[in-house]
Amino acid sequence: MNNPDCLTGAAGTGTSRRGRLLGAALMALLPVLLLGAAQPVFAQAGPLEGLLPGRAHTEAPATEPGTDPAAALEAQRSEISALAQEAELRLNEALALETQTDNLPPGVTPEMAQARIQTARSLSNNYQFHMQQLRELQDALAQGAAARARLGETVTIEEKPPHPYEFLDKLRGQVEAKQRELEAEQIGLEALRQLGAREERSLEQAKTAYNQAGEAHRRAVTEEEKNQALFNLDTVRRGQRSAEARIAALKTGREASSAKIGRLMDELELARRRVALAAGQTVFQKEEMERLEAAANKDRAALEEEITRARRELDRRYSQANDAARRLERALGQQDEPALAAQQRAEQARAEATQNLLAVLESLLEIESDALGVWRLRFSVANPEAAGERTSLRAAETLLTEKLQHYESLRTVFEQRLSALRAQKGGMDRDIEGLVADDPLRAPLTRRRAALDEREATVARMLDRIGRMKTLLRNVLEDVRTRRSALSPAERAAAAWSWVRENAGGVLDRELTTIGEESISPRKLLYALAILIAGVVISRLLLRYLRHYAARRLKLGTNVVYVIESLTRYALYLLVFYTVLRFLNISPTAFAFLGGAVAIGVGFGAQNLISNFLSGLIIMGEQPIRLDDIVEVGGLTGRVTRMGARASVLRTFSGIEVLVPNSKFLENNVVNWTLTDQKMRFDVTVGVAHGSPTRKVKEIMQQAAEKHGLVLKDPEPVVVFQDFGDNALVFALYFWLDLGNADSRVVRSDLRFMLEKKFHEAGISIAYPQRDLHLDSLKPLEVRLLHGGGAAEEDGGDKEA
């Protein structure tokens, strides 16, 4: 509690920790404050003593454990009521200062008296606000207890089952209303928290102002300065008490809001339980559907009649607007032109209001038809046998979701229109207030204002219907999702298959793009893909048959078979591609633009690709190089194993496969060792020692070539006495091999082994490098024996000398 006789700024319940610490510090300094400031002030107060309040705001103490909350609240109400009565008396005293300005104490100005009145009124209002919050807290606690008691009981519904769907929707509407009420209360509680935080800051400022006023009173010297400082000190203290009362009231308000939130949560749970109970007892009977259809038809008929009346009214108002426009044209430049212009704008506004009403009525007619369709969908989902058809739950959920999104967007549009209309009305109200009663512009402006009222009512009507339509869609969507979740795995699989069958056609026939004037759909693409795959498979089978037939029946060479197979493959693939284009109804001329792209590509590098492709065709046709040919190109030697559209594969004798672009075979010098046949001449060179029988050597080499089975007899092998070498007599054996059957390296190795053996048996030596040394015998040879030791000694002696 705050003591009115103390000059401390101790805060009541609800202040921040900083405020409590400051209050404790001031309480510790209480003797100093009383002796140094308070006693002199009050001792010299004189006639101002009656202006000081007799009691301060008292926070109700926290409820002790075991205390009845209702009794504690009642006691707090009694205490706050007494404080409110006292604050009302102080307010009356302050109001008396306003009428007694001549009797104000010395130093007290009328402005200071007005500040006292404002502070007293704020204090009184805050106590009244606290009383109101206490009443709301009591009511919320009582209602919350009743709600908890109902929640603990068994949920029952007075209406006997089976329930119609309209009753189920009514219960769902109650759940939605409770949910909105709960959300609103939660927002209100957050607003109270923010307001309480702001009031805490205000209380800190009030405490600071109180301390500053006390310091000013302490420094006062004259009687007038002391009276003024004391008056300000009391006013500031009343402001501090007002802030404390406001904070206490907001705290009670937060408690009441929290109690309301608890009660609303219990009531929301109870409403949900009622919905769950009713949902299991709800049956959509055919009689209810017929009644709904009859009501919908009645509403549609009423809307059609209203549309007819609106059209007649629209014609009448447009006629009046045209008449006003003609009168305005005749009055151009006259004195009454402004009034006639205002009348013309008013008539035009009334016509536009009717036009807007007509558009909304037509939209409402469409919504009624849409609502009836939703009810029929709901009936078919609930009773597929009675409806005569089984509706896909997945498709129904998709449709309802799309409709709900559409109406959400529509509601946003009309809410913006309503906001704009209200802004226009506000501006027009200010214009009307600025005109005198007999102003000729006032009546037309009032008519325009009435037209805005009509448009606002029309938009509000549309928003209401959209809201009810959204509620219906949400309810039906909840029914569909509930039924989907209750399906068994077998029913889910059947429903999924049914959905696929129903929607596959639409998906497959949806237009993806157009080429020329032809539409391309997924179905056409699938069929085209099937034709392409079948064409490729059939082409490969035909190529396989052609390859075997040409090789086995026609006995054609491997290279010829490969060329025929490659050219036939290109032709078949081109035919398959053309067939696919014709199936898609795409004319090859539609790809004429590719010609320009190809031309540009050739200019920027595609010429290499085209050159290699054309070179491959030339090679296959002219056949300067064939499969299995041994060629030498670009420093590489190997056998051609494959000839492709862009490059050929050259396998070297080391087993390395090299890709050689086809154009290289036409642009560079190429050595084809097997262009006309597989025969090639090789040689083996050997040197024998000087003095060896040359005829015997030739005979041995000739016999070795004839005995080797892979050396061809035609042409015959030839032995040539090649040269008189420095170290040997050089003989060369020239022989021919069929590279299709023999490896030259192995054959030459065999011949060398044979020659080495025969030469050894015949006593013929294979020469090796040697040198002859010639000595001049005309002069005697001088021979000297030099010993290492003597030489060393001799050298040493010379050195010493």
Side-chain angles (χ1 to χ4, degrees):
M1 297 182 183
N2 294 337
N3 193 339
D5 298 328
C6 298
L7 298 180
T8 65
T13 304
T15 59
S16 64
R17 183 179 180 182
R18 179 183 175 186
R20 290 196 296 270
L21 293 175
L22 180 61
L26 291 176
M27 289 294 293
L29 297 175
L30 179 60
V32 177
L33 293 174
L34 290 176
L35 293 175
Q39 288 180 355
V41 170
F42 290 111
Q44 300 176 8
L48 296 179
E49 291 180 354
L51 300 177
L52 297 176
R55 298 179 59 189
H57 161 64
T58 304
E59 281 281 350
T63 304
E64 297 293 337
T67 305
D68 185 10
L73 283 176
E74 189 61 34
Q76 188 176 2
R77 279 190 62 183
S78 301
E79 185 176 0
I80 299 299
S81 177
L83 291 174
Q85 293 176 2
E86 183 179 353
E88 188 69 23
L89 294 176
R90 298 302 179 185
L91 175 60
N92 293 331
E93 293 176 359
L95 291 174
L97 295 176
E98 187 176 17
T99 59
Q100 301 175 3
T101 56
D102 296 336
N103 298 327
L104 290 176
V108 177
T109 63
E111 289 77 10
M112 297 172 62
Q114 288 296 329
R116 170 67 61 81
I117 293 172
Q118 183 178 357
T119 305
R121 182 177 288 111
S122 174
L123 180 61
S124 177
N125 292 338
N126 286 332
Y127 280 134
Q128 295 296 332
F129 177 61
H130 197 174
M131 290 288 296
Q132 178 185 354
Q133 296 302 315
L134 285 172
R135 287 192 294 269
E136 291 185 3
L137 177 58
Q138 287 179 322
D139 295 340
L141 292 175
Q143 295 174 2
R148 285 192 298 274
R150 290 193 301 270
L151 190 62
E153 300 173 354
T154 303
V155 179
T156 59
I157 298 178
E158 297 178 358
E159 290 76 0
K160 295 182 179 180
H163 306 297
Y165 266 75
E166 289 180 315
F167 178 74
L168 179 61
D169 290 347
K170 179 181 177 182
L171 294 181
R172 286 173 174 168
Q174 295 175 359
V175 171
E176 187 175 357
K178 287 295 179 183
Q179 183 68 37
R180 288 197 298 267
E181 188 177 356
L182 176 60
E183 293 174 356
E185 194 62 42
Q186 290 173 342
I187 294 175
L189 177 59
E190 182 62 25
L192 288 175
R193 290 196 180 102
Q194 295 176 0
L195 187 59
R198 189 174 64 185
E199 292 297 331
E200 291 282 354
R201 293 191 293 270
S202 298
L203 179 60
E204 293 294 333
Q205 295 174 359
K207 290 178 179 179
T208 302
Y210 182 78
N211 293 333
Q212 292 174 350
E215 182 65 20
H217 179 268
R218 186 180 65 81
R219 294 196 303 267
V221 178
T222 65
E223 186 69 20
E224 182 177 349
E225 290 177 351
K226 292 182 178 180
N227 290 337
Q228 185 177 11
L230 183 61
F231 191 92
N232 287 334
L233 181 65
D234 184 70
T235 301
V236 171
R237 184 168 58 180
R238 290 172 186 265
Q240 178 181 342
R241 289 175 52 202
S242 177
E244 293 173 351
R246 181 73 173 176
I247 290 173
L250 290 175
K251 178 183 177 183
T252 304
R254 291 195 298 270
E255 294 175 357
S257 182
S258 300
K260 290 178 183 178
I261 289 175
R263 186 256 302 172
L264 289 173
M265 293 179 67
D266 293 338
E267 291 179 351
L268 179 61
E269 179 62 24
L270 181 61
R272 287 174 175 170
R273 292 182 183 180
R274 287 169 58 85
V275 169
L277 178 62
Q281 300 173 347
T282 300
V283 177
F284 203 162
Q285 298 179 353
K286 190 174 182 179
E287 293 77 8
E288 183 180 0
M289 186 66 232
E290 292 175 352
R291 178 164 46 83
L292 290 170
E293 288 179 346
N297 293 330
K298 182 178 179 181
D299 293 339
R300 285 173 55 84
L303 283 173
E304 290 174 353
E305 293 179 1
E306 191 173 358
I307 288 174
T308 302
R309 294 193 301 270
R311 285 173 179 168
R312 289 197 297 265
E313 180 65 17
L314 180 62
D315 294 338
R316 187 180 68 82
R317 290 191 174 185
Y318 267 124
S319 177
Q320 293 176 351
N322 293 333
D323 293 341
R326 286 192 291 269
R327 288 194 300 270
L328 178 61
E329 291 178 358
R330 290 193 297 267
L332 290 177
Q334 298 180 10
Q335 185 177 2
D336 57 347
E337 179 183 355
L340 291 177
Q343 292 177 5
Q344 192 274 336
R345 288 194 296 270
E347 295 300 333
Q348 184 66 29
R350 296 178 71 241
E352 291 175 357
T354 307
Q355 179 68 44
N356 184 67
L357 173 62
L358 183 60
V360 168
L361 290 175
E362 292 174 350
S363 299
L364 289 175
L365 191 62
E366 295 178 0
I367 293 177
E368 292 298 335
S369 300
D370 204 7
L372 182 58
V374 172
W375 275 110
R376 288 172 178 167
L377 175 64
R378 191 179 198 180
F379 181 75
S380 63
V381 169
N383 303 289
E385 293 79 8
E389 60 178 352
R390 182 174 294 275
T391 304
S392 171
L393 296 180
R394 183 192 297 270
E397 183 177 359
T398 302
L399 176 63
L400 293 171
T401 303
E402 292 176 353
K403 285 184 176 294
L404 188 58
Q405 293 174 352
H406 166 70
Y407 282 103
E408 287 282 358
S409 303
L410 198 61
R411 181 180 181 85
T412 302
V413 171
F414 277 91
E415 284 178 346
Q416 292 176 351
R417 291 182 183 178
L418 184 61
S419 177
L421 286 173
R422 288 174 176 171
Q424 293 180 19
K425 286 175 57 179
M428 199 166 293
D429 287 339
R430 289 189 293 271
D431 293 341
I432 294 174
E433 291 175 358
L435 299 175
V436 296
D438 57 349
D439 194 311
L441 299 179
R442 186 180 182 90
L445 198 58
T446 304
R447 289 170 65 85
R448 287 178 59 189
R449 175 64 170 74
L452 289 180
D453 287 337
E454 293 180 11
R455 294 184 62 180
E456 182 182 9
T458 302
V459 173
R461 179 179 178 183
M462 185 67 177
L463 284 173
D464 177 69
R465 187 64 186 94
I466 291 174
R468 289 188 283 117
M469 185 65 186
K470 285 175 54 182
T471 301
L472 174 62
L473 288 170
R474 283 195 295 267
N475 292 335
V476 179
L477 188 59
E478 183 178 353
D479 293 340
V480 171
R481 288 172 177 171
T482 302
R483 287 186 175 274
R484 281 196 65 189
S485 62
L487 292 177
S488 63
E491 290 174 336
R492 289 176 181 271
W497 175 246
S498 176
W499 182 86
V500 170
R501 286 187 305 170
E502 293 175 359
N503 294 274
V507 173
L508 292 177
D509 294 329
R510 182 176 300 174
E511 182 180 272
L512 296 178
T513 185
T514 56
I515 299 180
E517 297 181 355
E518 297 297 332
S519 175
I520 304 300
S521 64
R523 186 188 299 275
K524 285 186 177 181
L525 292 180
L526 289 176
Y527 288 162
L529 180 62
I531 293 174
L532 183 63
I533 294 174
V536 172
V537 173
I538 294 174
S539 298
R540 290 187 176 182
L541 293 176
L542 289 176
L543 290 173
R544 182 181 301 175
Y545 173 77
L546 179 63
R547 183 170 57 251
H548 288 288
Y549 182 81
R552 297 182 180 180
R553 298 291 183 89
L554 300 180
K555 305 297 183 181
L556 299 178
T558 304
N559 186 71
V560 177
V561 172
Y562 181 81
V563 171
I564 294 175
E565 180 185 0
S566 299
L567 296 177
T568 306
R569 180 186 300 110
Y570 298 152
L572 289 176
Y573 286 171
L574 183 62
L575 179 62
V576 171
F577 180 71
Y578 179 76
T579 304
V580 171
L581 292 181
R582 296 304 300 169
F583 172 77
L584 294 175
N585 293 326
I586 300 174
S587 175
T589 57
F591 295 92
F593 70 94
L594 291 178
V598 171
I600 295 174
V602 169
F604 286 94
Q607 68 272 20
N608 292 329
L609 180 62
I610 302 299
S611 175
N612 288 325
F613 178 74
L614 295 178
S615 298
L617 294 179
I618 294 174
I619 291 172
M620 291 181 186
E622 186 180 345
Q623 296 188 1
I625 298 172
R626 300 162 298 183
L627 289 179
D628 294 331
D629 277 357
I630 298 176
V631 298
E632 181 178 350
V633 57
L636 297 173
T637 303
R639 188 182 300 274
V640 178
T641 60
R642 182 177 178 275
M643 299 175 65
R646 188 192 66 84
S648 299
V649 179
L650 187 67
R651 184 179 179 88
T652 65
F653 297 119
S654 299
I656 300 174
E657 292 185 339
V658 182
L659 294 177
V660 181
N662 292 330
S663 60
K664 297 296 182 182
F665 292 106
L666 299 181
E667 297 172 356
N668 301 330
N669 295 329
V670 179
V671 177
N672 191 340
W673 292 0
T674 58
L675 177 60
T676 56
D677 55 28
Q678 296 286 327
K679 296 179 181 180
M680 183 174 291
R681 194 188 73 172
F682 297 91
D683 64 274
V684 174
T685 302
V686 64
V688 297
H690 287 277
S692 300
T694 57
R695 296 293 178 180
K696 185 64 174 178
V697 171
K698 177 182 178 181
E699 182 181 352
I700 291 174
M701 295 179 69
Q702 191 78 31
Q703 291 176 358
E706 293 175 353
K707 288 182 180 180
H708 199 291
L710 296 179
V711 176
L712 297 179
K713 303 303 186 288
D714 185 19
E716 294 182 354
V718 177
V719 178
V720 177
F721 190 169
Q722 188 169 339
D723 194 9
F724 291 98
D726 294 338
N727 303 312
L729 303 175
V730 182
F731 288 83
L733 172 61
Y734 295 95
F735 57 93
W736 291 78
L737 294 177
D738 186 354
L739 296 182
N741 300 323
D743 187 344
S744 62
R745 296 171 299 173
V746 177
V747 173
R748 284 186 287 182
S749 177
D750 294 341
L751 290 174
R752 291 187 182 101
F753 277 119
M754 295 171 67
L755 292 176
E756 192 277 333
K757 181 179 179 182
K758 293 294 184 181
F759 285 163
H760 180 70
E761 291 176 356
I764 299 173
S765 300
I766 297 177
Y768 53 85
Q770 51 184 306
R771 293 289 184 271
D772 292 336
L773 181 62
H774 298 276
L775 299 176
D776 187 3
S777 60
L778 298 178
K779 296 180 181 180
L781 298 177
E782 182 181 359
V783 179
R784 290 193 308 172
L785 297 177
L786 298 178
H787 299 284
E793 292 175 359
E794 185 177 351
D795 293 338
D798 293 339
K799 290 181 180 180
E800 291 179 1

